[in-house]
Amino acid sequence: QVQLLESGPGLVMPSGTLSLTCAVSGDSTSSDNWWSWVRQTPGKGLEWIGEVNHSGKNRINPSLKSRVSISVDKSKNQVSLTLRSVTAADTAVYYCARDHYISGSYYQFDYWGQGTLVTVSS
Amino acid sequence: DIQMTQSPSSLSASVGDRVTITCRASESISSYLNWYQQKLGKVPKLVIYAASRLQSGVPSRFSGSGFGTDFTLTISSLQSEDFATYYCQQSHSTPWTFGQGTKVEI
């Protein structure tokens, strides 16, 4: 059974940097899947932030591209998210999810972490 | 970006009802469409992928259809555990985008 566990500070200062880690178990970050970050706010719903694959290749939402870094550490089997210059608008529940690839170029988020609430406030 | 629009935003239904939720893409996405169920305070759960394929473990009362720009999620006989918010998501081209959600209420 694939399990994803997000961790990181629940409170970040405005203009600061949000850093989260997702520990993966039951699958390898070296597999053919991509590892995504998705956030959810009451106002904007679900928003895909970006993802990384086993080779470190990124796909990032252009709306966040200038502020986001996503990396993979295969030795620790974990994925990390960094979001810089945060504002109150970045307050959200952040999810790590497995973006599973199947033949025909189909992708779907089939496993999700439990989510972690990050509040941007002084 | 491909915009995903769901309708209705919310609906009221009773146990045993047939429920249909619609999702429209701003451009053709072939069959690259997924559906998720999210119960209050819980994590989204994949229900349907590739427009019509039932995710393992999901009851057969759920079905999906559509191609191109118009898609539907149908629950053939609504059960109490199906009351939740449902989201569509396109996986045709990045950035992956979600619909705004449809809340299914009693």
Side-chain angles (χ1 to χ4, degrees):
Chain A
Q1 179 75 343
V2 178
Q3 291 187 317
L4 308 172
L5 184 63
E6 305 93 344
S7 61
L11 182 65
V12 182
M13 298 283 284
S15 77
T17 297
L18 179 160
S19 296
L20 297 175
T21 298
C22 173
V24 178
S25 59
D27 190 9
S28 170
T29 52
S30 298
S31 69
D32 288 339
N33 298 304
W34 288 71
W35 304 93
S36 272
W37 290 94
V38 177
R39 67 183 182 180
Q40 186 171 30
T41 62
K44 291 190 70 175
L46 290 163
E47 180 181 28
W48 176 73
I49 298 170
E51 59 192 16
V52 64
N53 72 357
H54 60 87
S55 66
K57 182 178 179 181
N58 280 168
R59 299 192 285 209
I60 305 292
N61 193 324
S63 68
L64 297 166
K65 194 176 182 71
S66 64
R67 299 194 290 133
V68 165
S69 298
I70 299 176
S71 62
V72 60
D73 186 333
K74 290 183 286 186
S75 66
K76 295 182 178 179
N77 215 38
Q78 64 185 31
V79 178
S80 296
L81 168 69
T82 299
L83 178 63
R84 297 173 291 275
S85 303
V86 298
T87 69
D90 295 309
T91 295
V93 175
Y94 286 76
Y95 294 102
C96 174
R98 188 178 82 165
D99 195 5
H100 182 54
Y101 169 83
I102 62 172
S103 63
S105 298
Y106 290 100
Y107 289 92
Q108 57 277 332
F109 302 119
D110 61 346
Y111 289 97
W112 296 65
Q114 86 286 353
T116 186
L117 174 62
V118 178
T119 301
V120 179
S121 175
S122 56
Chain B
D1 299 4
I2 297 175
Q3 306 303 316
M4 308 300 294
T5 303
Q6 290 181 234
S7 60
S9 297
S10 65
L11 64 90
S12 296
S14 301
V15 172
D17 284 354
R18 181 180 182 88
V19 169
T20 298
I21 299 168
T22 296
C23 177
R24 175 164 289 176
S26 61
E27 62 186 79
S28 178
I29 58 171
S30 184
S31 57
Y32 295 100
L33 191 283
N34 305 314
W35 290 98
Y36 301 87
Q37 174 195 68
Q38 186 177 32
K39 298 180 181 179
L40 192 63
K42 302 297 185 181
V43 177
K45 172 188 171 184
L46 179 66
V47 176
I48 297 285
Y49 65 97
S52 61
R53 302 185 196 182
L54 193 67
Q55 174 67 353
S56 176
V58 173
S60 60
R61 61 181 179 273
F62 289 89
S63 64
S65 65
F67 187 90
T69 60
D70 295 314
F71 301 85
T72 58
L73 173 70
T74 299
I75 308 172
S76 60
S77 178
L78 195 68
Q79 301 301 301
S80 57
E81 60 266 32
D82 301 335
F83 291 97
T85 299
Y86 292 84
Y87 296 93
C88 61
Q89 175 246 329
Q90 64 82 18
S91 60
H92 177 271
S93 55
T94 59
W96 308 143
T97 48
F98 293 84
Q100 82 281 11
T102 295
K103 187 174 184 179
V104 177
E105 304 174 288
I106 299 174

